[in-house]
Amino acid sequence: MSGAERADSDSDTDRREREPMSVLIQNGRIVTAVDDYFADIIIEGETITRIGRDLGVTADEIIDAKGKLVFPGGIDPHTHMDMPFGGTTSADDFESGTIAAAHGGTTTIIDFAIQTKGESTLSALDTWHAKAEGKATIDYGFHMIVTDMPDSRLPEMARLRDAGITSYKLFMAYPGVLYVDDGTLYRAFRQAGEDGTRICMHAENGIVIDEIVKAAVRDKKLAPRWHAHTRPTRMEAEGVHRAIAIAEVANVPLYIVHLSCSDALEEVKRGRARGVDVVAETCPQYLFLDDSYYDKEGFEGAKYVMTPALREKWNQDALWQGLRFRYLETIATDHCPFCFKEQKELGKDDFSKIPNGAPGVENRMALIYHGGVGQGRISLNRFVELTSTAAAKAFGLFPKKGTIAVGSDADLVIFDPERRETISASNAVTHHMKVDYSTYEGFEVKGYPETVLSRGRVIVRDTKLETRGGGQFIKRAGHGELLR
Ligand code: URP
Ligand code: ZN
Ligand code: ZN
């Protein structure tokens, strides 16, 4: 940032040893999910301590945010760092993935710990703590992916809640891998509801989809485009319908992940209309890309093999409408990167062997600002709500995260609404993910995060990494509770 200054002297060094570092962000336009005003922000240590005009104070560091928007740090509640999947492991670990997230204006991720069948969920949590600890540059939490939940294991769920894991993900998709049957769904849903926690659902009828996939492979329909042809939107809608019905009976708050299409959205609308506590997330890939990407030259379509698949373009309007009218509550990335070379190539001769997932953690804020606010689809406040506040509220991070307020963590993004970038794997500003392609190659955006603070530390300054590491695990609060 051109206006950033440092006030440095020997006496300052002595003082810093006694007092927490202070930062003053001046002249910015502060935007939260509900507010929009000009004011200065004082940060002491990790926390916002004052907000106001003409505060008449100085600080160890002064950042001039004139002409910039100041947002709460982005929260991406759906990432997969260092995830074993599809015969390989996602290309970003917690080090590279959180650095990329930081560059994109995201200061908290919620990733997924995975219980393997027969394993204790508590030991799965230990495994994921070991993957992230000491590596992350931004703060992180975990959802627990449950693959096995007999009655005897149900008491583990209260222990997970006490350890700050207050949400679960279960899969109707991927039979033989992450899939669980309806009985397991119901048991886990009931217990999660009793414990005051939330269920996240990958809602697609994987059993039927597997039959369609098998038939396609048998018929030698093996190119990447068959990934989309074999995953009909109706099978996602059926999954959403079933998840909502089970959550309704089990009395648990439900969160549908990566909702991709109008058919599925209609089921969310129906559930909400009858009073079920269900919210849904969509992702930039479903708002900006469509199934024509599978028809790219050669094997290029493999870059877009993700689940759910990209849909016919007309679905995008329905999703934007859903965001605007609050049927969709959050925008996450489902960041699950696999390199085109060697990883996506595992499915060169058979689309069903292509590892499912795509990169995006770095691009979310700029894409949604550009396509949402810039193109008049959503307001600035709604932008903040969709990229930060709503996830904080849904997943027990609010008000420590997800807003700009006295007492909140100083997770802040200083965003230049005029800066233009072309997203590309070869653009050193937009690509820090450890993957050899960009899902949004060539997309031009207006508006970009320039300087990013995580609990008061400048981690990205003027689009360049300034601080590596220091991210902490966040023990999240339960459903409806505030995080202090
Ligand atoms: O294709 C995807 N989405 N890969 C990640 C796993 C999942 O289903 O979220
Ligand atoms: Zn999923
Ligand atoms: Zn996912």
Side-chain angles (χ1 to χ4, degrees):
M1 157 154 309
S2 56
E5 295 168 15
R6 277 174 195 283
D8 232 338
S9 71
D10 288 348
S11 58
D12 278 344
T13 311
D14 296 340
R15 191 162 53 77
R16 267 180 226 157
E17 278 165 17
R18 297 191 307 273
E19 289 172 18
M21 171 87 177
S22 60
V23 181
L24 169 62
I25 300 176
Q26 274 182 331
N27 307 317
R29 177 175 166 190
I30 298 175
V31 186
T32 70
V34 288
D35 302 308
D36 190 348
Y37 58 101
F38 290 92
D40 300 341
I41 299 172
I42 295 277
I43 299 162
E44 287 170 284
E46 301 187 345
T47 311
I48 296 169
T49 53
R50 285 175 76 182
I51 301 173
R53 304 277 278 267
D54 307 320
L55 292 173
V57 289
T58 188
D60 299 316
E61 169 160 11
I62 298 170
I63 298 174
D64 184 9
K66 192 163 193 289
K68 311 285 161 73
L69 303 169
V70 184
F71 297 138
I75 299 175
D76 187 340
H78 189 156
T79 64
H80 301 278
M81 308 300 176
D82 203 355
M83 181 204 194
F85 196 51
T88 182
T89 300
S90 59
D92 274 312
D93 62 8
F94 282 85
E95 183 175 358
S96 62
T98 58
I99 287 173
H103 280 280
T106 289
T107 54
T108 306
I109 55 168
I110 311 179
D111 207 90
F112 295 84
I114 306 177
Q115 174 208 27
T116 50
K117 280 197 178 33
E119 185 194 14
S120 142
T121 53
L122 297 160
S123 105
L125 179 59
D126 288 344
T127 304
W128 255 263
H129 272 308
K131 282 175 186 264
E133 215 175 308
K135 282 195 166 181
T137 288
I138 59 170
D139 291 347
Y140 58 94
F142 296 118
H143 312 277
M144 176 59 64
I145 290 180
V146 168
T147 56
D148 173 30
M149 191 50 69
D151 283 338
S152 57
R153 208 179 275 300
L154 288 171
E156 287 178 14
M157 292 175 68
R159 292 177 61 195
L160 285 173
R161 181 202 56 212
D162 295 343
I165 309 304
T166 54
S167 48
Y168 299 87
K169 183 178 179 190
L170 291 100
F171 288 77
M172 292 170 168
Y174 312 127
V177 187
L178 298 169
Y179 168 88
V180 292
D181 62 20
D182 287 358
T184 305
L185 289 183
Y186 179 69
R187 279 193 301 283
F189 277 36
R190 280 244 341 222
Q191 191 63 48
E194 274 175 30
D195 291 343
T197 56
R198 181 182 284 282
I199 291 290
C200 302
M201 195 69 228
H202 181 132
E204 271 187 306
N205 190 322
I207 299 291
V208 172
I209 287 170
D210 245 28
E211 292 301 318
I212 306 173
V213 169
K214 271 191 263 170
V217 171
R218 212 183 304 126
D219 294 346
K220 302 275 181 287
K221 295 168 172 166
L222 298 170
R225 72 172 61 87
W226 288 96
H227 176 71
H229 293 326
T230 54
R231 307 188 89 88
T233 57
R234 186 51 55 202
M235 289 297 96
E236 184 181 347
E238 188 278 330
V240 171
H241 176 86
R242 184 158 34 108
I244 291 174
I246 298 172
E248 185 176 7
V249 173
N251 196 23
V252 67
L254 180 65
Y255 179 93
I256 304 291
V257 296
H258 47 47
L259 189 141
S260 71
C261 60
S262 172
D263 283 351
L265 182 60
E266 289 306 310
E267 296 298 339
V268 172
K269 289 184 190 171
R270 276 190 206 109
R272 289 174 73 117
R274 66 174 190 273
V276 184
D277 184 353
V278 52
V279 291
E281 146 198 300
T282 191
C283 310
Q285 53 268 37
Y286 304 119
L287 296 166
F288 292 93
L289 310 177
D290 60 73
D291 62 355
S292 68
Y293 281 71
Y294 296 116
D295 294 327
K296 283 183 181 274
E297 250 336 85
F299 189 57
E300 284 285 300
K303 293 177 176 173
Y304 309 94
V305 167
M306 62 189 78
T307 304
L310 297 178
R311 306 304 194 182
E312 288 175 15
K313 195 170 176 57
W314 63 268
N315 287 279
Q316 293 173 2
D317 284 342
L319 297 181
W320 281 111
Q321 285 284 93
L323 290 168
R324 194 157 166 198
F325 294 112
R326 299 178 172 276
Y327 294 112
L328 294 170
E329 202 50 31
T330 59
I331 302 176
T333 57
D334 193 8
H335 176 78
C336 189
F338 297 104
C339 289
F340 186 60
K341 284 259 153 259
E342 288 177 17
Q343 293 192 297
K344 290 288 186 181
E345 278 177 358
L346 292 170
K348 207 156 179 29
D349 302 319
D350 176 352
F351 76 89
S352 70
K353 297 196 168 65
I354 299 170
N356 285 199
V361 73
E362 190 165 355
N363 310 125
R364 181 181 67 127
M365 303 283 279
L367 281 168
I368 302 303
Y369 181 86
H370 176 85
V373 179
Q375 296 183 7
R377 291 175 170 125
I378 53 173
S379 69
L380 258 183
N381 298 120
R382 185 70 179 140
F383 165 79
V384 172
E385 194 170 18
L386 287 165
T387 55
S388 179
T389 316
K393 289 184 175 171
F395 290 114
L397 292 166
F398 191 82
K400 205 168 155 64
K401 310 278 189 197
T403 193
I404 299 176
V406 170
S408 292
D409 280 357
D411 291 357
L412 298 166
V413 179
I414 300 169
F415 189 95
D416 184 350
E418 299 302 322
R419 185 178 181 121
R420 290 176 187 273
E421 289 292 340
T422 301
I423 297 174
S424 170
S426 61
N427 181 345
V429 173
T430 67
H431 198 93
H432 299 83
M433 300 169 283
K434 220 165 66 190
V435 56
D436 58 359
Y437 75 96
S438 169
T439 317
Y440 305 98
E441 186 67 38
F443 274 60
E444 289 177 15
V445 289
K446 183 175 170 208
Y448 211 80
E450 277 195 348
T451 292
V452 180
L453 290 87
S454 164
R455 279 181 290 99
R457 301 165 306 140
V458 177
I459 51 173
V460 172
R461 189 188 298 277
D462 196 12
T463 76
K464 292 179 188 62
L465 186 68
E466 175 151 314
T467 313
R468 185 184 284 269
Q472 287 179 359
F473 171 69
I474 305 292
K475 266 177 97 164
R476 291 180 291 118
H479 180 61
E481 293 168 0
L482 298 178
L483 185 64
R484 288 160 200 269

